[in-house]
Amino acid sequence: MRLTRAAMIVAAVFFVGARAPERPPITGISHLAVYSRDLVASERFYAGVLGARKVADPENGAGARFQFSGTQFVEVLPAPAGLGASLFAHAAYRTPDAAALRSWLLARGASSVGALEQSAGERRFGARDAEGNEVQFVETKTSAAAVPGAVSGRIIHIGHAVRDRAKEDGFYRTLLGFRPYWFGSFEPPKVDWVSQQTPDGRDWLEYMMVGEGSRVTDASLDARQLGVLNHLSLGVRNMQTAVTELYRGKKMTGRHDGPQMGLDGKWQANLYDPDGTRVELMEFHAVTEPCCSAFTAPDPEG
């Protein structure tokens, strides 16, 4: 049956009106969760060295949160029996509407989407990325104000080991809408780091590439190497000032390296928690030309 022109216009209007709902925003990093084999030593590092504020963990009463601001923190969890070399537990991102984002992901067949959980001032749920890593999405009503005395009030990126860039891009870029930011390597044309910003913010996720096409091989992937790959980065306005304050407070007594100029053209320095998880201090802006690729999105702001 041939539709009249009027009928086709009505059908077109109906189709446009029935478009799939837009993805609820994903605005930045909420936290990185890591396992610890010595919770007391972890507290000395995150609270005593980095100046984060310890609060109770509503997800796991045996763990703790160490806040750098009201909305960003490291979650430290007791290492379960039989845990392997990796101490990475999950990565988490902020959203203003966790329930709507969960429904949106379910409608698109996302893997292992968990139940919506709620605690005072917070709603959250978990899912799995293409390589099986747990990813959480957190809605919170708390203030984003920095914690007084912390070395930084801003987590600007988190990173974890990735073996299949294309598969992970299917989840983070194609499904969720993460946006390219920068990529680089010590030995181009190999690619060791691939950075993509959150869809509706400037924080970023860094793929720490492992296997073919990168410098890191599976054979070299021991606990120490995994601690370097699975990390978080705290933004600082001036590296000299930040590191000077740590030295002045006699807080640079543990394992650390730098400051040094990163291949992305930004000053950085690394500290390591008692279990070897890396905490990178990084200036917000490049001061020299980066290797390998140009930045394709604006930098985070402190």
Side-chain angles (χ1 to χ4, degrees):
M1 181 178 68
R2 187 180 298 275
L3 291 175
T4 66
R5 180 176 176 80
M8 287 191 290
I9 292 172
V10 170
V13 170
F14 176 80
F15 177 78
V16 170
R19 285 185 307 179
E22 292 186 359
R23 172 190 43 75
I26 300 170
T27 57
I29 292 166
S30 165
H31 64 275
L32 180 71
V34 297
Y35 292 113
S36 170
R37 295 187 172 91
D38 187 337
L39 295 174
V40 173
S42 292
E43 180 175 350
R44 285 197 297 267
F45 175 77
Y46 287 106
V49 174
L50 299 181
R53 177 173 59 211
K54 181 185 179 183
V55 299
D57 186 352
E59 294 183 70
N60 185 333
R65 291 181 175 184
F66 294 93
Q67 295 181 312
F68 296 99
S69 75
T71 58
Q72 292 187 312
F73 55 91
V74 173
E75 182 179 13
V76 178
L77 302 168
L83 182 68
S86 175
L87 297 176
F88 171 72
H90 64 260
Y93 302 92
R94 301 194 309 275
T95 178
D97 193 335
L101 181 58
R102 179 177 179 273
S103 296
W104 188 90
L105 286 169
L106 284 170
R108 283 151 185 81
S111 175
S112 304
V113 177
L116 188 68
E117 299 179 355
Q118 186 162 339
S119 54
E122 180 179 290
R123 293 197 297 176
R124 63 186 176 273
F125 70 94
R128 296 279 173 180
D129 72 13
E131 292 195 341
N133 300 302
E134 183 181 358
V135 184
Q136 289 190 0
F137 301 93
V138 181
E139 172 191 346
T140 181
K141 305 300 183 185
T142 55
S143 166
V147 169
V151 67
S152 169
R154 185 80 158 78
I155 299 175
I156 58 173
H157 77 261
I158 53 180
H160 57 74
V162 165
R163 289 174 171 80
D164 192 322
R165 177 179 175 180
K167 283 177 61 176
E168 289 289 66
D169 278 352
F171 179 79
Y172 289 105
R173 292 192 178 179
T174 304
L175 176 62
L176 294 180
F178 278 61
R179 299 160 297 144
Y181 180 52
W182 178 78
F183 66 87
S185 171
F186 281 114
E187 301 172 8
K190 293 181 178 179
V191 176
D192 292 317
W193 318 288
V194 183
S195 299
Q196 44 277 310
Q197 289 186 335
T198 52
D200 307 287
R202 296 186 183 181
D203 304 344
W204 74 89
L205 163 65
E206 188 171 37
Y207 297 169
M208 305 297 288
M209 298 305 303
V210 176
E212 185 177 357
S214 79
R215 291 183 316 119
V216 180
T217 65
D218 276 301
S220 70
L221 209 58
D222 57 10
R224 188 179 180 90
Q225 179 73 70
L226 282 163
V228 172
L229 301 183
N230 302 327
H231 72 285
L232 75 147
S233 179
L234 299 171
V236 298
R237 293 191 177 278
N238 182 282
M239 187 61 64
Q240 181 177 355
T241 299
V243 172
T244 297
E245 286 301 311
L246 288 169
Y247 273 109
R248 188 173 290 157
K250 296 181 172 54
K251 296 178 179 180
M252 295 289 279
T253 55
R255 178 184 165 201
H256 64 275
D257 55 74
Q260 65 263 331
M261 180 63 67
L263 292 181
D264 58 359
K266 300 178 182 180
W267 280 107
Q268 56 190 238
N270 297 306
L271 295 86
Y272 299 83
D273 80 5
D275 294 283
T277 295
R278 181 165 63 101
V279 177
E280 178 184 44
L281 306 184
M282 176 180 278
E283 288 191 356
F284 289 97
H285 306 293
V287 294
T288 188
E289 184 177 356
C291 88
C292 312
S293 70
F295 290 102
T296 56
D299 296 331
E301 297 290 347

